[in-house]
Amino acid sequence: MVDLSARFEGFLNAPPGARFAIVSSRFNELVVERLAAGARDGLIRHGVVAAQITEIIVPGARELTPVLARLAKSGKFDAILALGAVIRGGTPHFDYVAGEISRACGSISEQTGVPVIFGVLTTDTIEQAIERAGTKAGNKGYDAAVAAVEMVNLLQRLTSAGL
């Protein structure tokens, strides 16, 4: 019988052999490449071997979705990071793209059981995006990597506990 009163949380060290994918959009490359560099750094600093990281680049943020779904369904990855930058402009394009990607990440995770970490910046200005990609506001790619490591660790602990 499982003790349901137990407290579970993930550790910040990657389990041995865990595999990660980083899927980045090329659009807003100035910002997104900084996010990807932060994600790689975050994974490696938390125990992931570089050979266990697969990186895929898609044209734009909207194109993240089919690749995320394919990778999650492949069974080859323990977590997937979705990285991009959607910057508000003078059209409603921002609202459609940002919301769709966010929903897709959650849906793919629910359907496959593979954590798909939403590391897509949604900002009003390019300056805000740059701040979140490694300047004043830290690096959200790094933050996504840490969340991915923690989720892989937590899911393994839950599985070991029979949950």
Side-chain angles (χ1 to χ4, degrees):
M1 185 164 160
V2 176
D3 180 6
L4 297 178
S5 66
R7 176 184 164 124
F8 293 92
E9 62 182 299
F11 298 117
L12 298 179
N13 54 323
R19 301 219 12 115
F20 297 83
I22 299 171
V23 184
S24 304
S25 69
R26 187 178 304 112
F27 197 77
N28 290 319
E29 187 172 28
L30 169 73
V31 173
V32 180
E33 179 46 43
R34 292 178 184 185
L35 294 174
R40 286 188 299 273
D41 183 46
L43 290 172
I44 290 168
R45 286 182 185 266
H46 288 85
V48 179
V49 176
Q52 296 167 247
I53 302 169
T54 299
E55 293 189 66
I56 297 171
I57 300 172
V58 300
R62 175 59 190 92
E63 289 76 32
L64 290 166
T65 304
V67 174
L68 297 170
R70 177 178 283 210
L71 296 178
K73 291 174 185 173
S74 76
K76 295 180 180 180
F77 299 98
D78 296 287
I80 303 165
L81 291 77
L83 304 178
V86 182
I87 301 168
R88 189 178 301 279
T91 68
H93 182 260
F94 170 93
D95 299 311
Y96 297 119
V97 173
E100 187 173 327
I101 298 165
S102 175
R103 279 188 296 281
C105 287
S107 177
I108 294 165
S109 288
E110 288 174 14
Q111 292 171 10
T112 64
V114 176
V116 178
I117 308 299
F118 182 74
V120 178
L121 299 180
T122 55
T123 63
D124 290 322
T125 66
I126 186 71
E127 292 80 17
Q128 290 173 340
I130 291 169
E131 287 175 2
R132 288 165 178 77
T135 62
K136 286 197 270 184
N139 186 305
K140 300 307 177 189
Y142 184 95
D143 295 347
V146 173
V149 168
E150 186 172 356
M151 283 301 297
V152 169
N153 196 296
L154 174 60
L155 291 174
Q156 286 188 0
R157 292 188 70 214
L158 290 172
T159 298
S160 294
L163 297 174

